[in-house]
Amino acid sequence: IPQQFNQPLGVFFYTLLTASANRPYMPLFGYGLNEAFEIPTAQIQTEYKNFFIKDEVVGKAFRLIRDLLIFTNKRLLVVDKQGLGTKIDYLSIPYKSIEMYSMQTAGLMEKDNQIVLWLKSHNEPRKFLFHRGSDINSVYNLISNCIL
């Protein structure tokens, strides 16, 4: 295990990184205009290095058209590119602000899996949809390991 993973949760993140090495791009939201992919964490770690604090490591990252969900060992970073211009909204959700969370898998006639986060400072939960074939269990486990 590399040195940067010899910390709490490090072995867990190393397992996630190496498990997806053979399939770095994984469809999450379907195909066509809503096509989204799990993207290589090394790419995100480099591209967004100015956003991360010392010892913060990317565990998983997902792209939907222009937006990103970045799960690190300290928080969830939502990158929302808005409109036609260059306006970008960066929402940092520390795991300690998550009061409850749930996972809903797709049923027989449903096409999406869902992760729902209830935050301390919001009345309404934040919902994130994932394609039926996505590995939503690893996302749920990542959140669980960071919160519990």
Side-chain angles (χ1 to χ4, degrees):
I1 296 176
Q3 180 63 28
Q4 70 259 31
F5 292 99
N6 287 334
Q7 300 172 15
L9 301 176
V11 174
F12 176 75
F13 285 115
Y14 182 73
T15 304
L16 287 176
L17 292 171
T18 55
S20 61
N22 295 330
R23 52 180 178 79
Y25 296 96
M26 181 177 78
L28 292 176
F29 292 84
Y31 300 94
L33 290 177
N34 290 330
E35 188 171 7
F37 296 95
E38 182 173 350
I39 53 180
T41 55
Q43 173 187 338
I44 295 299
Q45 193 78 41
T46 302
E47 192 174 325
Y48 289 88
K49 66 182 174 188
N50 294 332
F51 286 90
F52 302 128
I53 62 174
K54 181 181 176 188
D55 299 328
E56 188 170 15
V57 179
V58 176
K60 282 204 173 276
F62 305 99
R63 181 181 304 277
L64 172 61
I65 304 174
R66 299 181 333 154
D67 299 338
L68 290 170
L69 291 177
I70 303 170
F71 293 89
T72 75
N73 59 329
K74 303 204 180 274
R75 62 183 160 156
L76 167 61
L77 179 62
V78 181
V79 181
D80 181 12
K81 295 185 179 179
Q82 302 174 357
L84 298 174
T86 58
K87 184 177 179 181
I88 302 174
D89 181 36
Y90 298 94
L91 174 65
S92 180
I93 302 173
Y95 292 121
K96 65 182 178 182
S97 72
I98 298 173
E99 289 185 322
M100 290 189 309
Y101 58 104
S102 70
M103 172 179 71
Q104 183 178 54
T105 58
L108 183 61
M109 302 298 289
E110 298 166 332
K111 64 178 182 172
D112 296 324
N113 294 313
Q114 180 173 259
I115 294 281
V116 182
L117 305 176
W118 284 266
L119 307 175
K120 291 178 183 175
S121 60
H122 293 81
N123 293 332
E124 297 294 320
R126 297 290 304 237
K127 297 179 180 180
F128 302 98
L129 298 177
F130 296 82
H131 183 266
R132 178 186 196 95
S134 65
D135 184 11
I136 194 166
N137 289 326
S138 68
V139 175
Y140 187 80
N141 287 336
L142 189 149
I143 295 169
S144 295
N145 278 291
C146 290
I147 292 177
L148 303 178

